[in-house]
Amino acid sequence: MSSISDLRRILGTCRTLAVVGLSPQWHRPSFFAAKYMQAHGYRIVPVNPKADEILGERSYPSVSAAAQALAAQGGKIDMVDCFRRSEDIAPIADEAIAIGARCLWMQLGVVNEAAAARARAAGLDVVMDRCVKIEHARLFGGLNWAGVNTRVISARRPQQLPY
């Protein structure tokens, strides 16, 4: 699940992200990625049992607790974004399946083939070993300001999200 069209579709349709392992410390990669996505119109739902609030959003102890709280408000988690070790992904994948999320996203360095297979069998899109912030910036035109060469040569204007 790493084609450009699949990643664009996922990032274009999944607007509410439960970020598992989101740190309240500003210098951590999870905080930086979540803050970037929040600034680009995504709703961030922190999942960290040790924090009460992160990025101005209430933090929840589990994906299931976050999904219940959002359901009470009439919302739904679209993507479960995992900033956890590979061996910790299996129960998170099970929770993502149970709440009816559309995507299970594992950050850079996180790969769990067994959990990915279960999530795919349940109908979820699965992305492994990729950063949601980097992919959003790469596919929707946010990397060039930092001088990053994306090696994408195209005469077509990049597709933009409606925000």
Side-chain angles (χ1 to χ4, degrees):
M1 177 63 62
S2 43
S3 75
I4 288 176
S5 61
D6 287 334
L7 292 172
R8 279 185 195 252
R9 177 184 50 78
I10 291 167
L11 291 171
T13 58
C14 294
R15 305 298 298 171
T16 304
L17 284 59
V19 184
V20 181
L22 177 55
S23 174
Q25 300 174 2
W26 67 269
H27 58 84
R28 302 290 298 167
S30 61
F31 186 92
F32 186 74
K35 185 174 175 97
Y36 171 90
M37 296 305 284
Q38 189 179 51
H40 284 82
Y42 291 81
R43 173 145 188 220
I44 300 300
V45 180
V47 177
N48 183 335
K50 296 179 181 177
D52 294 328
E53 184 178 293
I54 304 172
L55 290 170
E57 297 281 348
R58 180 173 173 222
S59 183
Y60 298 92
S62 68
V63 173
S64 300
Q68 286 176 343
L70 259 63
Q73 301 168 4
K76 185 176 185 304
I77 293 172
D78 299 319
M79 177 193 296
V80 177
D81 184 13
C82 304
F83 280 92
R84 301 288 299 162
R85 293 180 305 200
S86 298
E87 53 270 19
D88 297 338
I89 298 299
I92 298 167
D94 293 338
E95 280 190 293
I97 293 166
I99 66 164
R102 288 192 264 166
C103 178
L104 176 65
W105 190 297
M106 295 175 237
Q107 286 293 325
L108 289 171
V110 182
V111 175
N112 188 319
E113 294 292 346
R118 281 201 313 275
R120 281 190 196 102
L124 276 70
D125 289 321
V126 177
V127 180
M128 290 190 288
D129 197 21
R130 288 185 181 267
C131 174
V132 70
K133 182 248 178 254
I134 292 171
E135 294 305 320
H136 182 275
R138 179 175 73 96
L139 297 173
F140 297 102
L143 281 181
N144 56 353
W145 66 268
V148 176
N149 181 1
T150 61
R151 297 186 181 182
V152 175
I153 299 172
S154 174
R156 292 173 37 167
R157 185 172 282 201
Q159 183 179 357
Q160 299 294 321
L161 289 175
Y163 52 75

